[in-house]
């Protein structure tokens, strides 16, 4: 179950078609997907009207069996490295 629903084969096919190696990352335990997250390219407007590129992290998920084992920390470190 992901985000309150059981994904269908159509969901997995569409997610695979949209996959972007620079923005979508995952953690595996062997061949089992245990965590994932996505970065969106955004613009952050600061006072004065100047806009700067920014990254927004979304769709973060960690399997209950793998929480508090460093999977999320690893995902966030990878995202921050890519954003930097």
């Amino acid at each position: 179950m992901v985000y309150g629903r059981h994904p269908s084969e159509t969901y997995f096919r569409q997610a695979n078609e949209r996959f972007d190696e620079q923005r979508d990352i995952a953690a595996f335990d062997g061949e089992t997907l245990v965590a994932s997250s996505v970065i969106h390219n955004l613009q952050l407007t600061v006072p004065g009207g100047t806009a700067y590129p920014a990254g927004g992290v979304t769709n973060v998920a960690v399997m209950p069996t793998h929480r508090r084992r460093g999977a999320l920390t690893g995902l966030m470190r990878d995202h921050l490295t890519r954003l930097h």
Side-chain angles (χ1 to χ4, degrees):
M1 181 182 286
V2 178
Y3 305 114
R5 65 177 180 205
H6 294 280
S8 65
E9 287 300 317
T10 301
Y11 172 84
F12 283 116
R13 181 180 47 77
Q14 291 172 342
N16 192 44
E17 291 169 358
R18 292 188 314 261
F19 184 80
D20 178 339
E21 291 181 8
Q22 294 301 311
R23 299 181 311 128
D24 305 336
I25 61 170
F28 291 86
D29 183 358
E31 294 186 13
T32 303
L33 174 67
V34 296
S36 64
S37 59
V38 178
I39 295 175
H40 285 288
N41 297 323
L42 304 172
Q43 292 289 316
L44 177 65
T45 304
V46 298
T50 304
Y52 294 97
V57 178
T58 188
N59 291 0
V60 178
V62 179
M63 294 290 291
T65 55
H66 286 73
R67 292 190 180 138
R68 303 200 51 81
R69 295 184 177 192
L72 181 58
T73 299
L75 293 177
M76 293 302 105
R77 281 189 179 137
D78 189 88
H79 278 317
L80 292 172
T81 298
R82 291 170 192 240
L83 289 169
H84 182 57

